[in-house]
Amino acid sequence: MGNRVSTLKWTILVMAGLFVFSHALKRDILYERSYTGDLRNRVVGARIIKDKGSPYFYKWKKGDGFRYYDPGNFDAAHPSITTTSPFFEQLLSPVVDLPQSQIEQFWLIFEYLALAGMVIFIFSWSTTDKQRLAVGWLYLLFLMTNAWKDHVAVGQSYIVIPLFTMLFFACWQRVRNIGWALAAGTAAGCLLLIRVNTLVFFIPFIFLIPRYPRSWIVAFFAPVIILLGWSVLDKRESGLWKDYEQMVQEQIVIQQELHPVLQHNDPDPHFKEWEGINMDAVDAATKEQNDPIYKENGNFFMLVRLIFHRKLSVAFLGLSAIFLIAALTIFFYWLHAPFGRQDVARVALFGYCLYMISDLFSPIYRGEYYAVQWLFPLLIAAGTYQGRMKAAYGILLAGLLLSCIHLPFVKFSNTIGEYLFLVALLAISMRKKVL
């Protein structure tokens, strides 16, 4: 009887998978044909860096041609809309000389491969059928979330955060070979240089260091130091990072309406066709879309503004995040110390929650695509599923469904879903002898 039930569950999952995947792929190909604007600013930024320039305050001028043309970068602001780090821009170097239309196709394939790779790893890493079924259903539900749809539709890059985190997590667990320590350190260094505040994720890993051989830890830190040292000591790299830091500060001033200085920039020439992009075809593909994306900004300051009609200062947001992260870390240590190697999944889950707190308390608006970052802890939670925490997993399921199904009578459903993720994942990481 048990085997029949198990077979039925897998059969239902496979049948649902075929339907959901085919629907999602067809939908996402149409999104890609509708022009992925955020990907364009990353391509332009990568090209400028490749051409020995700095993209963070670049504005297109008449005569610049198509290479640096970005329809989204014609505003009155001083900084450009290129907001990704110099390191991430340089990761795109191998493909940025291709036409934009080809890069968009490449990026869609990369997004799907990144998602599939993470799911396959956690599926194989899980130890029970219930856990593997949970991973499978999570994959299908995630394809239907507004976060995934928005990420694909605008060509965003936040998928690389859970991807590099997963690479780090996979390598960190392999203690017997120094090569894995080097790989884990490389993934960690890349993660830090892609998004600096991911440093918060690594805080609880300090508790595990005493349990690892000294040679392994030295090998781990070697690539981290090399990558960070290159960014700081190389004159050109440090110059790019200074521009990047200044751009971020000016974006905060703009987004928090702190009296930004505006300037006159050349108007958009509205090219109809460039690098394989035909704007008439883009308009036609946009009209074909029948799967709307419901978008929200899930920042903590937005919640306070909407509910209490109060504006929080940048300093208050930063100090609040630091206090909350510190308090949770102390409590986590008190609850679980001493730590052993068997606690890696718990530590990774908790550390990522700390990172997402820093993300939610950011003074820069979080588009719906930011929520793709939850993929890593959701996969860890699914891959370590325990029936003893049904309430927490029920909350995670509710959060996923709120991001998939738009209910007109539920305001801010995506945002509610994100905060449900945070509460449930923290509860799972805090529970003793679960992971």
Side-chain angles (χ1 to χ4, degrees):
M1 183 67 178
N3 289 336
R4 289 182 182 179
V5 172
S6 179
T7 302
L8 179 61
K9 289 179 178 179
W10 284 107
T11 301
I12 294 172
L13 177 61
V14 170
M15 292 176 65
L18 291 173
F19 173 78
V20 171
F21 182 81
S22 60
H23 168 79
L25 185 59
K26 182 180 178 181
R27 175 202 68 202
D28 292 346
I29 289 173
L30 195 59
Y31 284 150
E32 178 266 317
R33 289 177 181 171
S34 302
Y35 178 64
T36 53
D38 285 358
L39 179 60
R40 180 60 182 176
N41 71 61
R42 283 145 176 75
V43 170
V44 169
R47 287 175 176 176
I48 293 173
I49 290 178
K50 194 170 186 178
D51 296 342
K52 309 303 180 185
S54 176
Y56 297 110
F57 295 94
Y58 169 79
K59 295 292 181 177
W60 189 90
K61 296 180 180 60
K62 188 176 180 180
D64 283 357
F66 295 141
R67 183 167 174 80
Y68 301 152
Y69 174 67
D70 180 359
N73 195 28
F74 288 90
D75 53 24
H78 178 220
S80 75
I81 60 171
T82 299
T83 55
T84 43
S85 73
F87 182 78
F88 176 80
E89 296 289 351
Q90 288 163 317
L91 289 179
L92 295 177
S93 291
V95 299
V96 291
D97 291 326
L98 295 172
Q100 177 70 22
S101 58
Q102 291 184 28
I103 296 174
E104 290 186 356
Q105 294 168 6
F106 161 80
W107 193 252
L108 178 61
I109 293 170
F110 170 77
E111 288 173 297
Y112 266 82
L113 289 177
L115 176 60
M118 287 184 278
V119 169
I120 290 169
F121 169 72
I122 292 297
F123 187 89
S124 62
W125 176 77
S126 303
T127 57
T128 70
D129 273 357
K130 285 185 178 180
Q131 292 168 351
R132 295 188 183 102
L133 282 166
V135 171
W137 282 111
L138 170 61
Y139 170 60
L140 298 185
L141 282 172
F142 205 83
L143 284 173
M144 304 306 293
T145 60
N146 288 303
W148 175 260
K149 291 191 291 184
D150 195 33
H151 194 278
V152 170
V154 300
Q156 260 293 344
S157 54
Y158 282 90
I159 189 71
V160 301
I161 303 296
L163 176 62
F164 275 96
T165 308
M166 191 68 77
L167 289 171
F168 161 79
F169 174 74
C171 297
W172 177 274
Q173 299 177 82
R174 302 172 182 267
V175 186
R176 296 181 180 179
N177 192 317
I178 294 297
W180 290 111
L182 292 169
T186 302
C190 291
L191 193 59
L192 287 168
L193 291 175
I194 290 171
R195 202 151 192 244
V196 177
N197 63 320
T198 56
L199 176 66
V200 177
F201 165 72
F202 298 101
I203 290 175
F205 280 88
I206 296 171
F207 307 146
L208 295 176
I209 288 179
R211 300 295 181 180
Y212 284 74
R214 184 175 298 178
S215 58
W216 200 95
I217 295 300
V218 170
F220 167 77
F221 277 106
V224 176
I225 293 170
I226 290 171
L227 285 168
L228 297 182
W230 165 65
S231 298
V232 173
L233 300 176
D234 182 89
K235 186 176 180 180
R236 171 160 168 71
E237 287 301 311
S238 64
L240 288 170
W241 278 98
K242 287 176 183 176
D243 285 352
Y244 174 73
E245 181 184 6
Q246 183 184 347
M247 176 276 299
V248 171
Q249 294 304 317
E250 292 197 29
Q251 286 288 358
I252 292 173
V253 170
I254 292 170
Q255 298 194 29
Q256 291 295 316
E257 301 175 353
L258 300 174
H259 310 295
V261 177
L262 303 180
Q263 65 184 31
H264 174 74
N265 298 312
D266 284 7
D268 183 359
H270 297 288
F271 294 123
K272 281 289 187 180
E273 193 162 350
W274 43 279
E275 295 190 19
I277 302 295
N278 182 289
M279 297 311 292
D280 291 333
V282 166
D283 291 340
T286 302
K287 291 177 182 178
E288 284 184 51
Q289 294 173 7
N290 55 11
D291 197 336
I293 305 170
Y294 299 96
K295 304 182 182 184
E296 299 167 16
N297 292 311
N299 304 70
F300 179 72
F301 76 81
M302 280 296 297
L303 284 180
V304 172
R305 187 179 300 178
L306 290 167
I307 297 172
F308 301 105
H309 308 290
R310 294 182 64 95
K311 186 175 182 180
L312 300 179
S313 70
V314 175
F316 179 86
L317 288 169
L319 290 173
S320 297
I322 291 171
F323 174 80
L324 186 55
I325 289 168
L328 285 171
T329 302
I330 292 170
F331 181 67
F332 181 74
Y333 181 83
W334 173 81
L335 197 63
H336 296 299
F339 292 84
R341 294 178 193 170
Q342 73 278 3
D343 292 310
V344 174
R346 182 199 307 282
V347 166
L349 187 60
F350 176 73
Y352 207 90
C353 287
L354 297 184
Y355 161 65
M356 289 307 296
I357 289 171
S358 74
D359 195 68
L360 291 166
F361 278 75
S362 169
I364 293 178
Y365 285 101
R366 302 171 71 254
E368 188 58 42
Y369 46 77
Y370 274 68
V372 163
Q373 295 176 106
W374 288 107
L375 185 58
F376 173 79
L378 288 174
L379 281 169
I380 296 296
T384 55
Y385 173 77
Q386 297 276 342
R388 289 173 291 177
M389 294 207 71
K390 289 182 179 179
Y393 283 95
I395 293 172
L396 289 181
L397 179 59
L400 275 168
L401 293 176
L402 284 171
S403 186
C404 295
I405 304 169
H406 178 67
L407 301 172
F409 55 87
V410 179
K411 293 185 177 180
F412 320 119
S413 58
N414 297 328
T415 301
I416 293 171
E418 285 202 71
Y419 286 89
L420 289 178
F421 289 160
L422 180 61
V423 170
L425 292 168
L426 280 172
I428 294 170
S429 70
M430 294 293 183
R431 174 71 183 267
K432 287 191 175 184
K433 298 180 180 179
V434 173
L435 305 183

